[in-house]
Amino acid sequence: MNSLPSSKPAPAVRTSDVCRYYPMGGGIIRAVDGISLTIERGEFVALLGQSGSGKSTLLNLLAGLDRPSSGSVMVQGRDLAKMSSEELAAYRRNDVGMVFQAFHLIPSMTITENVELPMRFAEVDRAERGERVRESLEQVGLGKRLEHRPSELSGGEQQRVSLARALANRPSLLLADEPTGNLDSRTGEDILNLIRDLSLSLGMTVVMVTHERALAERFAQRLVFLADGKLLSQEAVA
Amino acid sequence: MKGYDLFELAVRNLRQSKLRNGLTTVGISVGVASLVAMLSLGVGLQQLATRRLAGSGMFDTVFVTSKQDFRGFDREDDQKTEHPENAPVLDEPARGAMTHLQYVTEVEPEIRVMGEVVSGGQTHFGFVTGLPMSARENEAFDNLQGKFFSGPSAEEVILLNDFAKEIDPKDPKGLIGQEVTLRYGERQALAPDSESAGRPQLSGGAVGGSNPTSGDDFGFSVVRKTQKLKVVGIIEEEPYGGMRTVSRGRIFLPVDLTEKLNMAQFTDMRSSLRGGGGKTYMTLTVRVKDPAKVAQVQDAINKMGFRTFSVLDATKSLRRFFTVLDLFLGIFGSLALAVATLAIINTLVMAVLERRREIGVMKAIGASDGDVKRLFFAEAGAMGFFGGLLGIALGFAIGKAINVGTGIYLHRHQLPAEAVWILPPWLIGAAIAFSIVVSLLAGLYPASRAAKLDPVQTLKYE
Ligand SMILES: Nc1ncnc2c1ncn2[C@@H]1O[C@H](COP(=O)(O)OP(=O)(O)OP(=O)(O)O)[C@@H](O)[C@H]1O
Ligand SMILES: [Mg+2]
């Protein structure tokens, strides 16, 4: 199919004219309205824009949690729009790590169990899991209180746990939806430092939604501005 | 997701809302218990009835009569038989032929004669009945005092308790081991060309072994004889419930001995009227190896031209009755399980609502729709499994209570205790399997609802 000989490997993410519409009342809401965006491997990109501009919707399309109404989402040369829901689930558990503003840890599970959960879905061997849980928690700087429940930890610690969970299956793409939104600025900076270091050391592509331009400028390599579901502009950070 | 992970997650989810899931599990167990209690009651009653009937010795027995005799009892039967007077008679060759039929273990004549027992100078009148060795299995011998006959032609006697009391009111049991004298009438055939009518062709008990049924004795005389017998046992009731013939036998001898003694029977009169025919029997009792083969044997004997009777028809309708009873008890027991099914659906639907966010998270970190579905299935199945186990225990307790209860009731009515409730091992396995299957069916709807949840919606902030 690909007749063009390319020396470069496929980009981490390439969307072409991707749309996501919601029917609403009589009309439709264009949450994402024709965005074409390319993100290279290992790049750290920040999605910026006003509330309701479609940042989360775009991120969910990249995560394979949602399907585009039209257009395509290519991740490492594979079209998510053409995948079955089983294949999308496999894509999410093997290639993607997600971090949320509200952490979304499972409250009844201990820290260790939360980090272990994605490995259960990925059918990682039992013997291997303990080691990988420790490794992931080490990467996010958590070594203590591993048998506690999430509610017993501070917000920053919880976000570290959710980051460790996202790293558990060694994804190539980390998607973060306002990871600092619930944290004070100091703690938020710590988390973003961590994400940037991991991106650099693991060669992981990062797409982060935020509405704090200052933070985005300090940590991301490129800023992408959205408005009304459209790509407004892009800026590389010096 | 691997099976053990699924099970582990399911169990930990169940433990998350202990009270609710616990109550649901108890609900299932009550359903299973009622099903188990009902079905095992059905099984128990059926086994009880079968045991009783088998013990009565009626199940594996075919009674054979000649169509020449007992005419007029069954009009339909009479009409079917063109010339009853030409029907074959129950003679020695016919008996031999029946003995050789497949599945037949024994063919014994009905021997019932009048006799007198002489003991301590007094005589006591009673009917003498010949018993085959197989009678040992009859329930009448369940509480036999003393011993059964040592052999088919042993010179021994077993007495009915009433009769023993008549002989020795103070200590009827003391008779066991003692010797008594039996006085009876011996049938002595007349040689057809004999001028001296009284000359005996055979001389009773002393002859032993020799064939008393010489082919052409169309005349006979009855001669009083005595035989010494050792009392070996005493029984309470007449074997076969006295169903085989009209009068009640009180003195029991091994059947071969009675034949050897060549006792004169009422039927001898009938035989002599037929003339020329040699010895014939009024009734033969054919014992079949397996109650299931009774019909087959009956057929074969009917083809030989005899009239047969067995209680097979009674057992047929009995079996039908128990099938219906089992069905009825099963439906009754299932009602509680049906209610429990609703409880499972309710519990799981609530769990899906409560865990919306959690389900969304699981999908976001890689769970497929199938994983989510299987997780809820596993939860339903686990509740079914534990409910089943608990239900078996509960059902067992209920059943034991039924047994104890009926035991007390029977005891009050001076009857021996009977297990009316029996839990067969297959029912344990079947009940647990059934409980799991029912729970999985109940989980069908909640699980598919959980699987269909849109993660984007469930993960919206606040
Ligand atoms: N399920 C839905 N049904 C209808 N409209 C929706 C739905 N989800 C999102 N929208 C609309 O799509 C638009 C984009 O929403 P989205 O959540 O992507 O915005 P956002 O940029 O992430 O905003 P915020 O910064 O507040 O999180 C909004 O106008 C929103 O109302
Ligand atoms: Mg958003």
Side-chain angles (χ1 to χ4, degrees):
Chain A
M1 241 167 56
N2 249 336
S3 53
L4 283 174
S6 64
S7 52
K8 275 208 300 184
V13 176
R14 168 179 281 159
T15 73
S16 323
D17 207 22
V18 69
C19 299
R20 179 66 170 98
Y21 302 148
Y22 289 105
M24 184 58 96
I28 51 167
I29 291 178
R30 297 162 192 268
V32 168
D33 192 14
I35 292 180
S36 298
L37 181 68
T38 303
I39 299 168
E40 297 304 331
R41 291 178 187 227
E43 209 181 353
F44 189 147
V45 171
L47 292 180
L48 290 136
Q50 301 247 301
S51 183
S53 58
K55 309 182 290 291
S56 296
T57 307
L58 180 60
L59 200 74
N60 288 334
L61 288 171
L62 299 186
L65 275 179
D66 201 359
R67 286 175 183 277
S69 307
S70 65
S72 70
V73 180
M74 307 290 291
V75 177
Q76 285 162 22
R78 294 182 296 163
D79 191 351
L80 299 191
K82 293 207 177 94
M83 286 187 186
S84 70
S85 73
E86 277 299 320
E87 287 169 328
L88 281 179
Y91 160 70
R92 287 196 300 271
R93 75 177 157 253
N94 298 322
D95 301 311
V96 183
M98 289 196 87
V99 176
F100 305 91
Q101 178 176 1
F103 318 136
H104 287 331
L105 295 171
I106 305 225
S108 61
M109 291 185 179
T110 64
I111 304 314
T112 311
E113 287 167 338
N114 264 288
V115 177
E116 191 187 5
L117 189 55
M119 292 192 245
R120 291 189 196 254
F121 298 132
E123 301 192 346
V124 176
D125 259 6
R126 263 188 170 211
E128 208 186 323
R129 284 187 210 161
E131 184 53 41
R132 272 171 69 170
V133 167
R134 215 169 313 125
E135 186 185 301
S136 299
L137 285 166
E138 237 164 60
Q139 284 174 330
V140 300
L142 270 179
K144 283 185 292 181
R145 311 177 70 189
L146 302 184
E147 298 312 314
H148 286 243
R149 315 263 152 186
S151 59
E152 294 161 352
L153 302 185
S154 73
E157 285 168 326
Q158 288 188 51
Q159 197 59 299
R160 280 169 198 266
V161 175
S162 93
L163 194 55
R165 181 179 67 185
L167 297 174
N169 284 336
R170 295 164 180 168
S172 56
L173 179 61
L174 182 72
L175 302 174
D177 196 343
E178 306 203 35
T180 62
N182 269 0
L183 305 174
D184 61 61
S185 57
R186 268 287 319 270
T187 319
E189 276 174 39
D190 288 349
I191 292 291
L192 290 186
N193 258 319
L194 193 57
I195 290 177
R196 186 182 54 188
D197 291 350
L198 287 168
S199 166
L200 290 175
S201 63
L202 303 174
M204 196 168 55
T205 311
V206 179
V207 181
M208 176 181 79
V209 169
T210 182
H211 50 250
E212 287 182 72
R213 177 165 184 161
L215 268 184
E217 278 176 341
R218 277 185 54 197
F219 293 98
Q221 293 161 358
R222 181 153 54 117
L223 310 184
V224 174
F225 294 91
L226 302 186
D228 297 328
K230 291 192 169 66
L231 204 155
L232 198 68
S233 63
Q234 300 191 49
E235 269 177 35
V237 177
Chain B
M1 202 167 17
K2 293 222 172 90
Y4 53 75
D5 281 314
L6 204 59
F7 186 72
E8 214 172 273
L9 284 184
V11 170
R12 66 163 301 136
N13 280 338
L14 290 178
R15 286 162 71 178
Q16 222 43 59
S17 356
K18 281 198 192 74
L19 183 66
R20 187 174 63 201
N21 294 318
L23 287 175
T24 307
T25 306
V26 169
I28 300 167
S29 72
V30 169
V32 171
S34 82
L35 188 65
V36 165
M38 289 297 171
L39 284 183
S40 47
L41 182 64
V43 170
L45 287 175
Q46 185 160 5
Q47 286 191 14
L48 177 67
T50 313
R51 208 163 53 229
R52 278 264 151 265
L53 283 172
S56 72
M58 307 298 288
F59 248 176
D60 53 358
T61 306
V62 177
F63 302 103
V64 184
T65 56
S66 166
K67 288 185 177 174
Q68 286 193 14
D69 303 325
F70 298 124
R71 259 174 284 169
F73 280 141
D74 185 345
R75 209 159 281 176
E76 247 180 80
D77 191 51
D78 285 350
Q79 278 162 6
K80 265 185 280 177
T81 317
E82 297 275 302
H83 295 287
E85 57 278 4
N86 295 336
V89 292
L90 282 173
D91 52 9
E92 205 55 35
R95 179 180 172 185
M98 285 178 212
T99 314
H100 289 109
L101 285 174
Q102 210 182 353
Y103 307 120
V104 169
T105 55
E106 231 177 36
V107 180
E108 296 295 347
E110 278 282 344
I111 291 186
R112 192 167 290 244
V113 299
M114 284 179 283
E116 275 178 347
V117 169
V118 185
S119 171
Q122 282 194 302
T123 56
H124 304 273
F125 174 81
F127 278 98
V128 178
T129 298
L131 287 181
M133 290 308 275
S134 67
R136 180 71 188 94
E137 306 308 319
N138 192 273
E139 60 187 347
F141 288 97
D142 285 355
N143 36 26
L144 164 74
Q145 290 172 349
K147 282 185 314 216
F148 194 70
F149 303 122
S150 56
S153 51
E155 291 172 0
E156 293 168 345
V157 62
I158 290 174
L159 301 175
L160 202 64
N161 195 29
D162 287 349
F163 191 67
K165 271 189 204 153
E166 207 179 295
I167 298 173
D168 188 349
K170 290 199 194 93
D171 182 20
K173 273 172 217 151
L175 283 171
I176 296 174
Q178 288 191 25
E179 206 173 55
V180 295
T181 306
L182 177 71
R183 207 183 279 153
Y184 65 99
E186 189 195 63
R187 174 184 126 131
Q188 289 189 347
L190 302 171
D193 55 346
S194 165
E195 314 89 54
S196 54
R199 190 172 64 100
Q201 203 173 32
L202 300 161
S203 52
V207 177
S210 80
N211 188 0
T213 60
S214 58
D216 47 9
D217 52 344
F218 54 82
F220 65 88
S221 60
V222 178
V223 177
R224 199 169 84 169
K225 284 269 174 176
T226 57
Q227 169 72 37
K228 291 226 179 296
L229 296 167
K230 193 177 155 204
V231 179
V232 290
I234 292 177
I235 52 176
E236 290 294 329
E237 275 170 66
E238 187 179 0
Y240 307 104
M243 270 177 74
R244 299 204 297 192
T245 39
V246 194
S247 58
R248 281 173 62 83
R250 309 209 287 171
I251 304 157
F252 306 101
L253 267 52
V255 72
D256 285 7
L257 178 68
T258 53
E259 283 194 84
K260 203 167 72 183
L261 294 179
N262 204 19
M263 292 173 165
Q265 299 193 60
F266 306 123
T267 54
D268 290 342
M269 287 294 287
R270 179 76 184 91
S271 321
S272 71
L273 289 179
R274 269 198 277 273
K279 182 170 184 184
T280 60
Y281 303 99
M282 202 66 151
T283 313
L284 284 174
T285 306
V286 176
R287 207 159 296 278
V288 182
K289 198 158 65 188
D290 175 1
K293 305 291 186 209
V294 164
Q296 221 168 309
V297 171
Q298 218 175 336
D299 262 8
I301 298 173
N302 282 336
K303 283 213 187 81
M304 289 165 68
F306 297 104
R307 188 188 291 127
T308 57
F309 171 74
S310 76
V311 288
L312 188 75
D313 295 334
T315 73
K316 247 186 220 156
S317 53
L318 196 73
R319 232 171 270 149
R320 202 173 308 132
F321 167 75
F322 275 109
T323 310
V324 173
L325 181 73
D326 282 350
L327 192 73
F328 182 76
L329 290 175
I331 290 172
F332 201 69
S334 301
L335 275 180
L337 203 56
V339 174
T341 309
L342 296 179
I344 300 174
I345 297 176
N346 182 52
T347 301
L348 287 177
V349 166
M350 272 174 66
V352 173
L353 289 178
E354 266 172 24
R355 301 203 326 242
R356 268 171 59 88
R357 168 79 46 99
E358 198 175 307
I359 293 163
V361 172
M362 290 200 294
K363 285 190 174 182
I365 63 175
S368 65
D369 293 0
D371 286 334
V372 172
K373 196 180 265 179
R374 279 189 287 277
L375 182 57
F376 276 86
F377 263 144
E379 288 179 33
M383 280 198 277
F385 175 69
F386 293 121
L389 282 185
L390 201 64
I392 292 285
L394 206 61
F396 195 77
I398 294 172
K400 277 270 173 275
I402 291 177
N403 273 354
V404 169
T406 50
I408 291 170
Y409 179 83
L410 288 172
H411 184 74
R412 246 184 229 156
H413 292 74
Q414 264 93 49
L415 290 164
E418 291 272 9
V420 293
W421 180 89
I422 288 160
L423 182 60
W426 66 262
L427 189 55
I428 297 177
I432 292 177
F434 189 58
S435 167
I436 292 176
V437 167
V438 163
S439 305
L440 289 180
L441 287 177
L444 219 54
Y445 168 70
S448 78
R449 240 181 97 151
K452 274 192 207 124
L453 280 181
D454 177 4
V456 175
Q457 295 305 317
T458 63
L459 291 176
K460 280 248 163 75
Y461 184 57
E462 237 72 52

